[in-house]
């Protein structure tokens, strides 16, 4: 809350402290775009940045341009440490401070804010990424264009609040602490995910055994432990229609597509009872397979395959097994074989795929083991989201002056 209204004034972005300035971007810095022509890339040379580098905050993998092209582009504008790049085509409004010694060029899809004595570059980056600036960017964006974009002139018209320089630096310092915590947590999640991937390749193949288990795994076909289920929604009951996704398994179709992609007559749709599996017959090569354990019954397109395992299988273990890289490769290999002309992996072929499984008890132990691995990732992910929300709230207060900082 504002402490004392007398110390604040009205501005284009709302109430701000009286000793703050409000300026258009073009009044405090110059804004450029990158090269308009797609350059001829070379194997090695000068890095060339585009939208994906800013959006993903990853500059480790870039394409390269020749020294000749770089020198030509540098006559118009040169990227320097302390400058800020912002996406302006496709993904619009994501900003990144260039805080390293840089020698690179960039594409027309990026806007370059030159460093200036008028502001602290880190503060300016934070303000661009704030809801305040993003709201104005969204208003000035060309939404009818595909992909959507914002012109340089419109970027220059956007407003930015500018506290005294020392206050900018203090605000940037405080918010950078959240950035560091966010980055640390993101790195932790990446490490946990890599660890899980490694464990998946070892534990779900029997290469690495959990303590207490020594019995040899059995080699069988899927059809030895599972049967197809073909019941349809003959009475056209009002049952949740599901779609299978690569990463999240079976999800409500309306939620996934954001609109209704099926007709009113669902009598030919297949039923997926609770604790049954289903996969997109034509898209399983991507690992699109799901386990239905939320609703008593769900519905899937007639193009799906539905099946159920027997009592020798722990479904949680089996689901993880079916999502491994080895099994996905097996799906792909069989789809490109005898039934490629049909564009799918039918049950008659799917049930013949060979798998290796341990005893039921070891299956359960493995499933519980990975549940704990997933819990670690989920805990870190929730922490990350919490940190992002904390930063978002703090930015709203600090960048409008609702909460003032003490200057040393």
């Amino acid at each position: 809350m504002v402490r004392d209204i007398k110390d604040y004034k009205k501005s284009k972005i709302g109430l701000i402290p009286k000793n703050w300035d409000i300026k258009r971007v073009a009044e405090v810095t110059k804004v450029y775009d990158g090269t308009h022509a797609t350059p001829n890339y070379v194997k090695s040379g000068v890095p060339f940045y585009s939208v994906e580098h800013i959006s993903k905050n990853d500059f480790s993998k870039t394409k390269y341009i020749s020294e000749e092209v770089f020198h030509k582009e540098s006559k118009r504008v040169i990227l320097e440490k302390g400058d800020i790049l912002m996406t302006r085509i496709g993904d619009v409004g994501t900003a990144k401070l260039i805080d390293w010694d840089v020698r690179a060029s960039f594409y027309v899809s990026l806007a370059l804010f030159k460093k200036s004595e008028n502001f602290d570059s880190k503060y300016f980056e934070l303000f661009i990424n704030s809801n305040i600036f993003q709201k104005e960017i969204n208003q000035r964006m060309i939404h009818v264009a595909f992909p959507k974009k914002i012109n340089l002139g419109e970027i220059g018209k956007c407003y930015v609040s500018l506290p005294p320089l020392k206050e900018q630096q203090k605000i940037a310092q405080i918010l950078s602490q959240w950035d560091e915590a966010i980055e640390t947590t993101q790195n932790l999640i990446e490490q946990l995910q890599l660890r899980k991937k490694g464990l998946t390749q070892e534990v779900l193949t029997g290469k690495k055994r959990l303590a207490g288990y020594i019995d040899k795994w059995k080699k069988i076909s899927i059809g030895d432990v599972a049967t197809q289920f073909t019941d349809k929604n003959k009475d056209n009951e009002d049952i949740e229609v599901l779609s299978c996704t690569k990463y999240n398994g079976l999800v409500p179709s309306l939620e996934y597509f954001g609109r209704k992609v099926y007709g009113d007559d669902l009598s030919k749709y297949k039923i997926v009872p609770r604790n049954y599996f289903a996969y997109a017959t034509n898209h399983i090569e991507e690992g699109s397979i799901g386990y239905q354990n939320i609703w008593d019954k769900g519905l899937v397109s007639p193009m799906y395959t539905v099946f159920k395992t027997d009592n020798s299988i722990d479904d949680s273990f089996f689901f993880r097994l079916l999502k491994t890289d080895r099994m996905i490769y097996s799906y792909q290999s069989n789809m490109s074989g005898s039934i490629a002309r049909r564009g799918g992996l039918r049950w008659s072929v799917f049930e013949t795929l060979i798998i290796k499984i341990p005893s039921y008890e070891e299956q359960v132990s493995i499933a519980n083991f990975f549940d704990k691995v997933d819990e670690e990732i989920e805990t870190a992910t929730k922490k990350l989201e919490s940190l992002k929300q904390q930063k978002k709230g703090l930015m709203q207060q600090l960048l409008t002056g609702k909460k003032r900082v003490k200057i040393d």
Side-chain angles (χ1 to χ4, degrees), residues 115-252:
K115 62 182 179 180
S116 169
E117 294 180 354
N118 295 313
F119 55 79
D120 176 82
S121 291
K122 181 62 180 177
Y123 170 87
F124 209 77
E125 176 208 32
L126 288 163
F127 193 88
I128 293 173
N129 285 326
S130 71
N131 286 342
I132 306 163
F133 196 85
Q134 292 296 310
K135 183 178 179 181
E136 188 168 5
I137 283 284
N138 188 63
Q139 292 171 346
R140 296 182 179 277
M141 195 188 311
I142 304 176
H143 291 276
V144 294
F146 183 80
K148 60 186 178 181
K149 65 179 182 178
I150 184 168
N151 292 328
L152 293 184
E154 293 300 310
I155 295 173
K157 293 176 184 177
C158 293
Y159 288 97
V160 58
S161 63
L162 294 171
L165 189 58
K166 287 187 176 180
E167 192 169 353
Q168 291 181 41
Q169 293 168 343
K170 186 67 176 180
I171 290 172
Q173 179 187 347
I174 292 170
L175 291 174
S176 291
Q177 295 174 359
W178 262 260
D179 285 335
E180 290 172 6
I182 288 171
E183 184 177 359
T184 298
T185 306
Q186 286 173 330
N187 290 337
L188 173 62
I189 292 171
E190 289 177 8
Q191 292 170 8
L192 290 172
Q193 289 173 334
L194 282 173
R195 173 174 170 263
K196 178 184 175 181
K197 185 175 182 179
L199 288 170
T200 296
Q201 293 172 347
E202 293 184 319
V203 177
L204 288 174
T205 59
K207 291 180 180 178
K208 186 173 184 177
R209 306 293 295 274
L210 299 184
Y213 295 100
I214 59 173
D215 291 344
K216 188 176 181 179
W217 287 29
K218 294 180 181 179
K219 184 180 289 188
I220 60 172
S221 66
I222 289 177
D224 291 332
V225 293
T227 53
Q228 186 180 19
F229 184 78
T230 59
D231 285 12
K232 295 182 179 180
N233 185 29
K234 295 179 181 178
D235 296 329
N236 201 29
E237 293 181 59
D238 184 16
I239 301 173
E240 186 80 56
V241 176
L242 308 175
S243 291
C244 200
T245 65
K246 182 177 179 180
Y247 297 108
N248 298 320
L250 292 167
V251 297

Side-chain angles (χ1 to χ4, degrees), residues 195-205 210 316-317 320 324 363-377:
R195 173 174 170 263
K196 178 184 175 181
K197 185 175 182 179
L199 288 170
T200 296
Q201 293 172 347
E202 293 184 319
V203 177
L204 288 174
T205 59
L210 299 184
S316 179
F317 164 83
R320 293 181 186 279
T324 58
Q363 291 178 44
V364 173
S365 294
I366 291 173
N368 291 338
F369 172 78
F370 278 105
D371 284 345
K372 292 178 181 178
V373 172
D374 286 339
E375 285 174 12
E376 289 184 78
I377 296 174

